[in-house]
Amino acid sequence: MKLQRKNMLRASALGALVVSGALVLTACGSDDNTKTDGAATGKPSAAASDIKCGDAKGKLLASGSSAQKNAVDLWIKNYMAACSGVEVNYKSSSSGEGVVAFNQGTVGFAGSDSALKPDAVEESKKICTGGQGIDLPMVGGPIAIGFNVAGVDKLTLDAPTLAAIFNDKIKKWDDEAIKKLNPGVTLPSTAIQAFHRSEDSGTTENLGKYLKAAAPEAWTYEAAKKWPAPGGQAASGSAGVASQVKAVDGAIGYFELSYASSQSIKTVDVNTGAAAPVKATGENASKAIAAAKVSGTGSDLALKLDYATKTEGAYPIVLVTYEVVCDKGNKADTLPTLKSFLNYTASDAGQKVLTENGYAPIPAEINTKVREIIATLS
């Protein structure tokens, strides 16, 4: 209870600091929709009058990204409290699994930490009769690099060094490249144990985008949901990677910030070339994400992020989570509930819930477009 109260106070402070129009996400996930952990408190805060149930009825299934799980838990708790007889069930798995489920027609929407690829859009046309899958941004935030090195409480790394670590090129914690970035820190000769996701993951893809943009000579792989580099050890989901980092001396891995916060895992400060290394915080991630531009066409609102930013205080390893839906051809029996639920998540009340629980709203100009497109779903 003390830790939860501490997280709530930290979340409130963050909400007060975040600049209007920024995106922040500190997410983690249990697969139980009745529970929340990490930064989220699970406490409903929306009045029933804020939620328009309309013709919503029955059950709406969804699955995908674990990065947005706490946010979806909060929304579902409030929505189901307001709309009796309606059930929304979100299965936290991975972005890749969510998109597959969506294109198989087994869920009404999917959560994905990366925008749909052209082949996935093409495949979606088989399910979205007369239309296709589109990306609607809802939340975003930092991907933390967690580490566990006995005797080391503070660690700074840059993109080339991170690339070499995850590419199995740097094998010991007292490597000269790491020492150079951490003057005054006593680094042991402990072997580096690098952990990555075992399944297709949008978090993996966003880390890859950062490494490719900020250290192209050291990271020659194209960004993809599947882990591309040799070496390292695999673990299932962000929760699995965080658990391994927590348990193994010499470990390093990547996951959404609240996995680190909830398990007291130390995180790397990133040297971006700015005046000072940047900590993994929601506020710092918001400085990088606030400059996102819409790169999608038509009803698709995929965003383009600057992963190589050197803006002072901007944390560059970030993600945006999308809700993937059909623009046309949604199932008639779930369409009213889909629109009603997403109208709530994109509403001022829905976004306020995020702010109150350690998240922040989508930039107003983008969120306005999201609402407009939700209204046209058919």
Side-chain angles (χ1 to χ4, degrees), residues 107-165:
V107 296
F109 72 90
S112 179
D113 304 335
S114 57
L116 292 171
K117 298 292 188 293
D119 59 341
V121 173
E122 192 62 30
E123 188 176 353
S124 74
K125 294 178 182 178
K126 300 174 184 177
I127 298 299
C128 305
T129 306
Q132 64 180 47
I134 58 172
D135 303 287
L136 301 179
M138 288 291 175
V139 286
I143 300 171
I145 306 296
F147 70 95
N148 177 6
V149 183
V152 179
D153 294 323
K154 182 177 177 58
L155 185 68
T156 296
L157 297 173
D158 59 11
T161 308
L162 280 167
I165 288 172

Side-chain angles (χ1 to χ4, degrees), residues 278-293:
V278 186
K279 294 185 178 299
T281 68
E283 181 187 6
N284 290 343
S286 75
K287 295 175 184 177
I289 301 175
K293 305 296 183 184

Side-chain angles (χ1 to χ4, degrees), residues 15 24 148 249 263 281 372:
V24 177
N148 177 6
D249 183 27
Q263 298 188 48
T281 68
E372 292 172 351

Side-chain angles (χ1 to χ4, degrees), residues 15 44 80 100 107 114 124 133 139 150 172 189 237 244 246 270 325 334 352 363:
M80 289 177 57
V100 168
V107 296
S114 57
S124 74
V139 286
K172 300 284 187 178
S189 60
Q244 291 296 324
K246 177 75 171 178
V270 177
V325 300
T334 57
K352 183 181 179 184

Side-chain angles (χ1 to χ4, degrees), residues 23 25 63-65 67-68 72 75 90 95 98-99 109-116 134-140 202 205-206 209 225 289 292-296 299-305 307 319-325 342 362 366 370:
L23 291 161
L25 172 63
S63 68
S65 165
Q68 68 165 6
V72 177
W75 286 328
Y90 183 81
S95 297
V99 172
F109 72 90
S112 179
D113 304 335
S114 57
L116 292 171
I134 58 172
D135 303 287
L136 301 179
M138 288 291 175
V139 286
E205 183 172 9
N206 281 280
K209 288 178 179 178
K225 289 186 174 70
I289 301 175
K293 305 296 183 184
V294 175
S295 61
S299 296
D300 188 272
L301 294 180
L303 301 178
K304 183 175 178 59
L305 299 166
Y307 293 94
L319 58 78
V320 168
T321 299
Y322 303 93
E323 312 313 331
V324 176
V325 300
L342 293 182
I362 292 289
I366 296 174
V370 171

